[in-house]
Amino acid sequence: MAITLNSGFKMPIIGLGVWRMEGKDVRDLIINSIKIGYRHFDCAAVYRNEAEVGEALTDAFRTGLVKREDLFITTKASFASNLAASLWNSDHGHVLEACKDSLKKLQLEYLDLYLVHFPVATKHTGVGITDTALDEDGVLDIDTSIPLETTWHSMEDLVSKGLVRSIGISNYDIFLTRDCLAYSKVKPAVNQIETHPYFQRESLVKFCQKHGICVTAHTPLGGSTANTEWFGSVSCLDDPILQGLANKYKKSVAQIVLRWGIQRNTVIIPKTSKNKRLQENFQVFDFELTKEDMEVIKGIDRKYRTNIPTKLWGIDVYA
């Protein structure tokens, strides 16, 4: 199942995020997920594992497990994803170099999707260096000389050079998304944002979809184990209403949440390192939530996000 982007390319509606995966675990995760049926991988330079992802992909191509054209790879500068890539905060003035660095590490000739990871330009720390630039107060050292419009036009150049098939944005609110639509020659194909039952962002999702921008949920299980451990988040997977729906459909709570995301016409990229969960997350196409149950889930929105940018860098890029 896939969504056709405004660039004309098809993006699988479910993918796998590779955050917090290292070494041999990355290879096993990629190979196992391909065998299960995953064809979409979401990476980022800041995950510091693009090289390992690249080795796994090369191995999969070499052994005939899958062909390059069968996969959709996304990455973000200093971040890599989905055989798509994203531009990291410190790379806003070095878009071409950052993209080529990700391509080299991923051992690919082109990316399916390249994203501006955050709408924040910080002091350049060096291409391929993913450390966050902080000032003496420990907050982001923001570079005010690089407008987002300049960054976007550099992203557009990647398309014309054939390095990237589609380009997009990530963590943009409705106002920044509107501005990007106004100054872009090549419209953003995707806006990758945090959205889940506890942080539904209905206005932003509908705005993007109205203007032909596909929404990807980078935290579709909101407050999962990783976020709970790292950021003290409340997990929607513990919600009694969602647990009741899981019992009704004889599915896991995670499967209910992922199916909800799919029925909103959003792409979902859940992350897991466990093979059982990897299979479970992919088994969401054999049932459908009723309109009534979709409305029930709509009613549990808490306007609650994990606040990762705030907790990591002392600022809120969503504000």
Side-chain angles (χ1 to χ4, degrees), residues 7-20:
S7 58
F9 295 99
K10 292 184 181 296
M11 183 179 190
I13 203 164
I14 185 169
L16 178 68
V18 298
W19 179 51
R20 293 184 72 190

Side-chain angles (χ1 to χ4, degrees), residues 196-256:
H196 46 76
Y198 275 3
F199 191 43
Q200 298 184 21
R201 312 181 80 180
E202 194 71 11
S203 295
L204 176 56
V205 171
K206 287 185 175 179
F207 177 85
C208 288
Q209 292 175 341
K210 177 182 178 180
H211 292 279
I213 301 173
C214 173
V215 172
T216 295
H218 65 56
T219 317
L221 296 175
S224 60
T225 301
N227 287 333
T228 301
E229 292 176 351
W230 278 44
F231 309 111
S233 306
V234 175
S235 175
C236 69
L237 300 183
D238 296 325
D239 189 279
I241 291 178
L242 293 175
Q243 291 178 342
L245 290 174
N247 290 331
K248 174 182 176 179
Y249 288 91
K250 294 181 172 51
K251 294 289 183 178
S252 70
V253 179
Q255 287 173 321
I256 296 295

Side-chain angles (χ1 to χ4, degrees), residues 88-193:
W88 185 228
N89 303 339
S90 62
D91 290 332
H92 278 240
H94 305 268
V95 175
L96 178 60
E97 300 96 315
C99 180
K100 286 185 175 180
D101 185 67
S102 285
L103 283 169
K104 181 179 179 180
K105 290 176 179 176
L106 290 167
Q107 301 185 47
L108 299 173
E109 294 183 357
Y110 69 90
L111 294 167
D112 294 281
L113 178 64
Y114 196 59
L115 303 176
V116 178
H117 206 137
F118 282 100
V120 176
T122 63
K123 180 180 178 182
H124 185 55
T125 54
V127 171
I129 298 176
T130 56
D131 292 332
T132 300
L134 303 177
D135 62 19
E136 61 274 11
D137 296 318
V139 298
L140 281 184
D141 192 357
I142 297 175
D143 186 341
T144 59
S145 68
I146 306 174
L148 290 176
E149 179 176 356
T150 298
T151 297
W152 187 253
H153 292 322
S154 295
M155 295 283 286
E156 292 173 327
D157 289 341
L158 299 178
V159 177
S160 62
K161 293 178 184 298
L163 298 176
V164 174
R165 287 185 166 181
S166 302
I167 52 176
I169 52 183
S170 183
N171 299 301
Y172 274 49
D173 64 17
I174 199 167
F175 304 106
L176 291 173
T177 303
R178 178 204 60 189
D179 287 349
C180 188
L181 285 169
Y183 55 65
S184 62
K185 297 176 182 177
V186 177
K187 302 298 181 184
V190 170
N191 187 7
Q192 186 180 120
I193 61 173

Side-chain angles (χ1 to χ4, degrees), residues 11-110:
M11 183 179 190
I13 203 164
I14 185 169
L16 178 68
V18 298
W19 179 51
R20 293 184 72 190
M21 296 302 298
E22 301 176 357
K24 183 177 181 294
D25 291 337
V26 176
R27 182 195 177 281
D28 292 343
L29 180 72
I30 297 293
I31 298 300
N32 288 338
S33 62
I34 291 175
K35 290 179 179 178
I36 290 171
Y38 286 86
R39 294 296 182 267
H40 171 178
F41 297 94
D42 187 83
C43 318
V46 77
Y47 298 166
R48 303 186 181 187
N49 59 10
E50 283 181 313
E52 288 79 5
V53 172
E55 290 175 3
L57 293 174
T58 298
D59 190 28
F61 301 150
R62 179 182 57 78
T63 59
L65 180 60
V66 71
K67 297 179 180 178
R68 170 64 183 96
E69 55 267 28
D70 296 330
L71 297 184
F72 189 96
I73 310 299
T74 302
T75 198
K76 314 165 193 81
S78 271
F79 278 41
S81 71
N82 200 32
L83 288 201
S86 70
L87 188 75
W88 185 228
N89 303 339
S90 62
D91 290 332
H92 278 240
H94 305 268
V95 175
L96 178 60
E97 300 96 315
C99 180
K100 286 185 175 180
D101 185 67
S102 285
L103 283 169
K104 181 179 179 180
K105 290 176 179 176
L106 290 167
Q107 301 185 47
L108 299 173
E109 294 183 357
Y110 69 90

